[in-house]
Amino acid sequence: MSITSTEMYFEVDEENGEFQQIDQEVLKYCDHLHGKWYFSEIRAIFSRRYLLQNVALEIFLASRTSILFAFPDQHTVKKVIKALPRVGVGIKYGIPQTRRASMMSPRQLMRNSNMTQKWQRREISNFEYLMFLNTIAGRTYNDLNQYPVFPWVITNYDSRELDLSQPSNYRDLSKPIGALNPSRREYFEERYETWDTPGIPPFHYGTHYSTAAFVLNWLIRIEPFTTMFLALQGGKFDHPDRLFSSVALSWKNCQRDTSDVKELIPEWYFLPEMFYNASDYRLGQRDDGSTVGDVDLPPWAKTPEEFVRINRMALESEFVSCQLHQWIDLIFGYKQRGPEAMRATNVFYYLTYEGSVDLDTIGDPVTRDAIENQIRNFGQTPSLLLMEPHPPRSSAMHLSPMMFNTMPDDVCMSLKFHLNSPIIHISANTYPQLPLPSVVTVTAGHQFAVNRWNCQYTASIQSPSYAESTQNMNANLPLTMDPLL
């Protein structure tokens, strides 16, 4: 790299052994191997990590592209920042354009920006705010190991119609993806409690929610990701059953497979092309005989464009807006590590965290190479942004965990009121501690009733048996009607 008073140059060393090992097909998609940039083009400069070490810089240009450079050490990073123009991290985040801003840690950027207040006041969308958090936490399109992370927000991929006003169609964002299924959560918690391997701290998840391989699998149908995927897999596509082929199946795997805790990437919310096999790649046949081509969409989306539109509507919905801060706590915030992460079932393998290892202190080249490969291939947790709970977005809606449970289809009890008069008011005080917990009803015919609540009531999971006696059935009804009625 050479820097003058007005320009920056970069020349790749084509004799370098590492460079010569890179797949030639992948290199065709690498811009700026021999690059030149005028200072007047540079809009923002961010400090970045490479292999969890703070030794990189990302430079954003007026052409709306960016370049990531990894240096030998942090001292060189500071020298380069001092030689480049004083643009800071740009003008979007309310942070002064100084060289000091380009050297700020992610937590300092979070503290000094005005984006959280903008999001709370609804001046920016959920999508924009998540992109901001990803950007300052070191996530970048220039490193597949640190690709931006977005949440799954819809849980219903089977219905013919999707009602976005039903809370049961949304994910509970207060839980990590691995803890949504109670039985799978128990499995991960037991692994954590019984872990006793010396030298390796206990963890819930041995795999990560974002890795280079996962990103390439999501985007396998579009270049340059197809070529990169083939380079990673030795020139062949993976087994068809392991390729991204169905939205519903990917969601199901995230709920039942103990080695799959994938979150999403931003493209799920803006890029319908990722769901088309427009180049007709021969991706093979699954074990059930079906051919892998375009991604199978849920019945409620007829085209990828419609799927992306509905997915984006769900991301910007009130149900997501008023609980998104809880997901931010898990990925970027105080539940990312430490006791709170343990309580939230959110602890990953120790080598995914920043500060877990200092590569410069490892003298043995074989050990260093093994650790670098682990970091490069098995996921990197974003930089920590907050040590305290993220503030919620202003909202009139208050959420209950029960909202995300599917409503039972069966009716547990029918009440017939005097003259079939419809109920116009109902209120309940059903605390078990009360001597006579009750439900008060008022009908349109001005019939006032106090109906006794049964604290021992439990909803029947199976269909009711007609062999049961009437006495037993009555004992398990939620209400006893007011005897005056």
Side-chain angles (χ1 to χ4, degrees):
M1 176 181 280
S2 315
I3 301 173
T4 69
S5 59
T6 57
E7 296 159 348
M8 177 175 73
Y9 298 87
F10 179 74
E11 290 285 330
V12 73
D13 178 6
E14 296 190 7
E15 304 301 315
N16 182 284
E18 257 185 274
F19 178 79
Q20 290 178 344
Q21 286 174 13
I22 300 171
D23 191 297
Q24 290 300 308
E25 291 302 310
V26 172
L27 284 176
K28 289 177 184 175
Y29 290 102
C30 293
D31 296 330
H32 313 308
L33 292 177
H34 304 278
K36 169 186 168 183
W37 303 273
Y38 293 104
F39 281 9
S40 56
E41 295 177 69
I42 297 174
R43 293 290 177 267
I45 301 169
F46 283 84
S47 295
R48 288 286 185 245
R49 301 180 313 182
Y50 181 68
L51 297 179
L52 296 180
Q53 313 300 301
N54 293 305
V55 295
L57 274 184
E58 188 166 22
I59 298 172
F60 289 80
L61 305 171
S63 58
R64 302 181 77 80
T65 57
S66 63
I67 323 135
L68 185 73
F69 294 103
F71 296 98
D73 50 53
Q74 209 171 5
H75 175 69
T76 311
V77 171
K78 290 178 181 174
K79 257 171 70 176
V80 171
I81 289 174
K82 283 175 182 168
L84 290 173
R86 195 173 59 222
V87 293
V89 294
I91 58 173
K92 282 178 19 184
Y93 307 144
I95 298 172
Q97 289 188 275
T98 61
R99 291 192 176 96
R100 186 172 162 273
S102 293
M103 291 191 240
M104 279 183 181
S105 69
R107 277 177 63 196
Q108 288 172 323
L109 289 173
M110 183 73 180
R111 198 180 309 125
N112 287 284
S113 81
N114 59 8
M115 294 294 276
T116 301
Q117 291 79 9
K118 282 185 173 182
W119 175 70
Q120 286 181 286
R121 294 194 300 262
R122 297 172 177 263
E123 293 170 19
I124 58 172
S125 66
N126 290 338
F127 183 93
E128 287 174 284
Y129 189 57
L130 287 172
M131 280 308 305
F132 158 72
L133 295 174
N134 273 286
T135 301
I136 65 167
R139 311 305 283 190
T140 167
Y141 289 115
N142 287 317
D143 186 352
L144 293 172
N145 300 298
Q146 301 186 85
Y147 211 77
V149 187
F150 267 60
W152 290 91
V153 295
I154 294 174
T155 59
N156 180 352
Y157 297 100
D158 301 316
S159 300
R160 296 204 64 77
E161 300 289 332
L162 183 70
D163 184 353
L164 289 180
S165 68
Q166 277 295 326
S168 57
N169 288 329
Y170 292 87
R171 168 189 170 184
D172 179 354
L173 287 167
S174 68
K175 297 185 179 80
I177 201 82
L180 290 174
N181 178 335
S183 60
R184 198 168 69 143
R185 180 176 190 156
E186 283 176 24
Y187 168 83
F188 290 131
E189 287 176 345
E190 186 183 348
R191 172 199 271 171
Y192 186 93
E193 297 298 332
T194 56
W195 186 261
D196 63 349
T197 304
I200 299 177
F203 56 88
H204 295 114
Y205 312 110
T207 182
H208 206 257
Y209 49 77
S210 174
T211 69
F214 296 163
V215 172
L216 292 175
N217 196 22
W218 290 136
L219 298 172
I220 192 171
R221 290 164 178 79
I222 49 176
E223 289 290 10
F225 304 101
T226 314
T227 297
M228 290 176 174
F229 187 97
L230 290 169
L232 187 71
Q233 293 286 337
K236 296 177 182 175
F237 289 116
D238 200 359
H239 189 283
D241 279 299
R242 286 196 292 268
L243 295 179
F244 173 41
S245 59
S246 159
V247 172
L249 188 61
S250 296
W251 169 250
K252 285 190 181 107
N253 287 340
C254 285
Q255 300 310 298
R256 63 190 181 195
D257 189 338
T258 53
S259 62
D260 188 344
V261 290
K262 285 195 287 288
E263 290 282 10
L264 300 183
I265 54 175
E267 284 81 352
W268 275 66
Y269 297 97
F270 71 81
L271 191 71
E273 289 81 3
M274 68 175 278
F275 301 99
Y276 285 111
N277 184 18
S279 300
D280 288 325
Y281 295 120
R282 283 183 279 185
L283 301 172
Q285 282 193 325
R286 288 188 286 246
D287 287 342
D288 63 6
S290 59
T291 302
V292 179
D294 292 346
V295 176
D296 294 337
L297 300 173
W300 45 258
K302 301 294 180 284
T303 64
E305 287 78 8
E306 186 180 16
F307 174 76
V308 168
R309 179 180 64 80
I310 294 172
N311 216 24
R312 182 67 171 266
M313 281 172 65
L315 180 68
E316 302 300 340
S317 70
E318 202 56 39
F319 289 110
V320 172
S321 287
C322 61
Q323 53 163 345
L324 189 57
H325 62 285
Q326 298 183 88
W327 185 82
I328 293 167
D329 287 336
L330 294 166
I331 305 298
F332 303 104
Y334 80 112
K335 291 184 180 177
Q336 189 199 80
R337 55 175 78 187
E340 291 295 339
M342 190 261 290
R343 276 193 279 273
T345 321
N346 196 40
V347 179
F348 292 84
Y349 190 69
Y350 80 106
L351 282 179
T352 68
Y353 293 103
E354 184 178 4
S356 58
V357 63
D358 184 355
L359 293 175
D360 292 334
T361 62
I362 301 170
D364 178 23
V366 177
T367 305
R368 180 178 173 129
D369 201 41
I371 289 175
E372 280 190 4
N373 277 328
Q374 166 75 35
I375 295 169
R376 190 177 278 115
N377 295 310
F378 293 99
Q380 298 175 29
T381 301
S383 294
L384 189 68
L385 298 181
L386 286 162
M387 295 292 283
E388 63 282 333
H390 189 289
R393 202 176 199 191
S394 58
S395 173
M397 183 179 285
H398 296 282
L399 291 186
S400 151
M402 292 291 287
M403 293 172 76
F404 302 102
N405 296 338
T406 308
M407 294 296 288
D409 292 331
D410 55 321
V411 177
C412 61
M413 183 179 184
S414 296
L415 295 178
K416 187 173 181 181
F417 282 84
H418 187 59
L419 300 176
N420 279 341
S421 189
I423 292 178
I424 57 168
H425 173 82
I426 184 165
S427 59
N429 196 341
T430 57
Y431 287 114
Q433 297 88 340
L434 292 171
L436 290 172
S438 58
V439 176
V440 171
T441 54
V442 181
T443 69
H446 296 174
Q447 293 284 343
F448 174 89
V450 181
N451 310 282
R452 186 166 183 180
W453 177 257
N454 175 13
C455 289
Q456 269 68 53
Y457 170 71
T458 53
S460 174
I461 295 167
Q462 298 169 325
S463 300
S465 165
Y466 292 103
E468 291 175 0
S469 68
T470 312
Q471 187 182 354
N472 286 345
M473 286 177 70
N474 286 339
N476 197 36
L477 288 174
L479 281 182
T480 306
M481 275 192 78
D482 188 328
L484 289 176
L485 286 183

